[in-house]
Amino acid sequence: MSATVHRLTPTGRVKDPSLDPMMTLVAEDMAAVNAVIVDRMHSKIPLIPELAGHLISGGGKRMRPMLTLASAQLLGYHGTRHHLLAAAVEFIHTATLLHDDVVDGSDLRRGKRTANIIWGNPASVLVGDFLFSRSFELMVEADSLAALKILSNASAVIAEGEVNQLTAVRRVDLHEDRYLDIIGAKTAALFAAACRIAGVVADRPQAEELALDAYGRNLGIAFQLVDDAIDYVSDASTMGKDAGDDFREGKMTLPVILAYARGDEAARGFWRDAVSGRRATDADFAHAVELVRSSRAVEDTMARARHYGQRAIESLAPFADGAAKDTMVEAVEFAVARAY
């Protein structure tokens, strides 16, 4: 195969990178996936499709199932089993969001009130469980034990990552290595699985499966690093959640880990108070933003995001150049450029 390794730069393309080319590429397949999602969201209990639909139709770009579809096109797959698996990926993602919002006490997602605020925590948890169950039904119907193994393992890893993060909340001594373990599990694992299962249904060599896994995993880490950075440089209308949510929840994301490590005693004292929950006002958040910026913690977090983004792009080297590969490269550029 002829292949090109693209270089990721902070400025990206002549025009801003976008997911639009990937959305266009997979539009026909995505219509089939959406049909599966609508069908399998149905229940004779009206609250289930109502609550699930609130989040599923809430403006998300469905990046993870799109990656499954784009990866299948990269491999030249022409079947339909990936439609079921892409829907399963979206159900897993939605279920984890429902559960996360309960755990975090969030009240805004993608600019809308969260399901737990509207319907309450018990309903959100139970509908999340329903979507997890539906995802496993879809995996079984796809008739691939290997794909079932990959996605079920990813579901377990995501749960482990969430528990790991929960036990790390308000721990000012959290190190970067553990932070990377957390985001590698709670975010990157599903990106990796979403891409890898395309190699399974296309019956491609394990080396190609692992290349897609590496692409998704590194993209997922870059994606989460950017999310954590923009909590300190953006606003609610841009982020789709309240600015400073991570700060008020006492999460030791990488910008805070770096700012704490680089701060003087006064700055460290502030971070200890903030992470413990004793400094959580708007004025405190404004001071936190200044400390993060003055320590160059955001810039260095973004530099790490570009590093993982470049690794994702390099993972595509074994595959032939073409429209699918181009959109997957641009998806990485988009993930990083969201902070600019």
Side-chain angles (χ1 to χ4, degrees):
M1 291 184 184
S2 61
T4 302
V5 175
H6 302 258
R7 303 303 301 177
L8 180 65
T9 66
T11 53
R13 299 167 180 262
V14 174
K15 68 174 186 176
D16 291 340
S18 168
L19 287 181
D20 290 346
M22 182 177 286
M23 293 172 71
T24 300
L25 179 80
V26 304
E28 186 176 339
D29 284 326
M30 199 68 215
V33 173
N34 287 336
V36 174
I37 289 172
V38 170
D39 178 61
R40 300 312 172 87
M41 239 172 34
H42 178 71
S43 169
K44 64 182 180 181
I45 309 300
L47 178 60
I48 292 176
E50 183 181 3
L51 191 154
H54 172 79
L55 185 54
I56 287 176
S57 63
K61 293 182 180 294
R62 299 195 177 168
M63 188 174 184
R64 293 153 188 83
M66 279 202 299
L67 288 170
T68 300
L69 303 177
S71 297
Q73 288 210 29
L74 181 71
L75 301 175
Y77 176 68
H78 299 295
T80 59
R81 287 191 298 163
H82 62 319
H83 297 158
L84 297 172
L85 294 174
V89 166
E90 183 65 8
F91 278 165
I92 292 169
H93 176 56
T94 304
T96 60
L97 294 184
L98 287 169
H99 290 168
D100 288 353
D101 286 341
V102 170
V103 171
D104 295 340
S106 301
D107 57 13
L108 191 69
R109 181 174 289 280
R110 298 169 186 159
K112 296 172 59 176
R113 287 195 302 160
T114 54
N116 52 296
I117 293 298
I118 299 173
W119 289 281
N121 289 341
S124 291
V125 170
L126 292 172
V127 173
D129 292 344
F130 171 85
L131 294 178
F132 266 125
S133 300
R134 280 288 195 244
S135 74
F136 281 93
E137 287 180 352
L138 290 166
M139 294 177 215
V140 171
E141 288 178 38
D143 195 26
S144 170
L145 188 59
L148 174 61
K149 181 177 180 180
I150 289 167
L151 286 174
S152 60
N153 176 257
S155 299
V157 169
I158 292 165
E160 287 178 334
E162 293 294 352
V163 174
N164 194 7
Q165 178 173 267
L166 183 65
T167 60
V169 169
R170 304 201 182 282
R171 290 283 304 273
V172 77
D173 59 344
L174 185 71
H175 293 294
E176 184 174 344
D177 286 349
R178 185 174 176 191
Y179 163 84
L180 290 172
D181 285 343
I182 290 170
I183 67 173
K186 78 182 191 70
T187 302
L190 189 56
F191 275 83
C195 296
R196 182 172 182 174
I197 54 177
V200 172
V201 296
D203 196 25
R204 299 305 287 262
Q206 187 180 49
E208 293 187 15
E209 277 186 44
L210 294 177
L212 288 171
D213 184 287
Y215 166 81
R217 193 171 306 279
N218 284 293
L219 170 57
I221 292 173
F223 191 93
Q224 187 62 55
L225 284 166
V226 173
D227 256 17
D228 292 345
I230 63 178
D231 196 58
Y232 289 92
V233 297
S234 191
D235 56 28
S237 61
T238 302
M239 298 165 60
K241 65 176 184 176
D242 290 328
D245 273 358
D246 291 345
F247 171 77
R248 294 181 182 89
E249 292 164 12
K251 291 182 179 178
M252 286 294 289
T253 58
L254 187 58
V256 179
I257 292 170
L258 296 177
Y260 178 76
R262 297 169 180 177
D264 58 20
E265 188 50 43
R268 289 187 171 207
F270 169 82
W271 286 119
R272 284 192 291 269
D273 287 344
V275 171
S276 68
R278 295 192 296 270
R279 301 287 294 269
T281 66
D282 289 346
D284 291 328
F285 176 60
H287 184 54
V289 169
E290 178 55 35
L291 289 176
V292 165
R293 287 177 172 170
S294 63
S295 65
R296 298 189 59 82
V298 168
E299 290 89 338
D300 287 347
T301 297
M302 290 306 305
R304 285 165 170 77
R306 289 191 293 274
H307 165 75
Y308 283 101
Q310 186 59 49
R311 288 175 60 173
I313 290 172
E314 290 171 356
S315 299
L316 297 176
F319 303 105
D321 296 338
K325 185 172 179 178
D326 288 344
T327 67
M328 292 174 75
V329 169
E330 189 165 354
V332 177
E333 295 174 343
F334 166 79
V336 174
R338 292 174 304 137
Y340 292 99

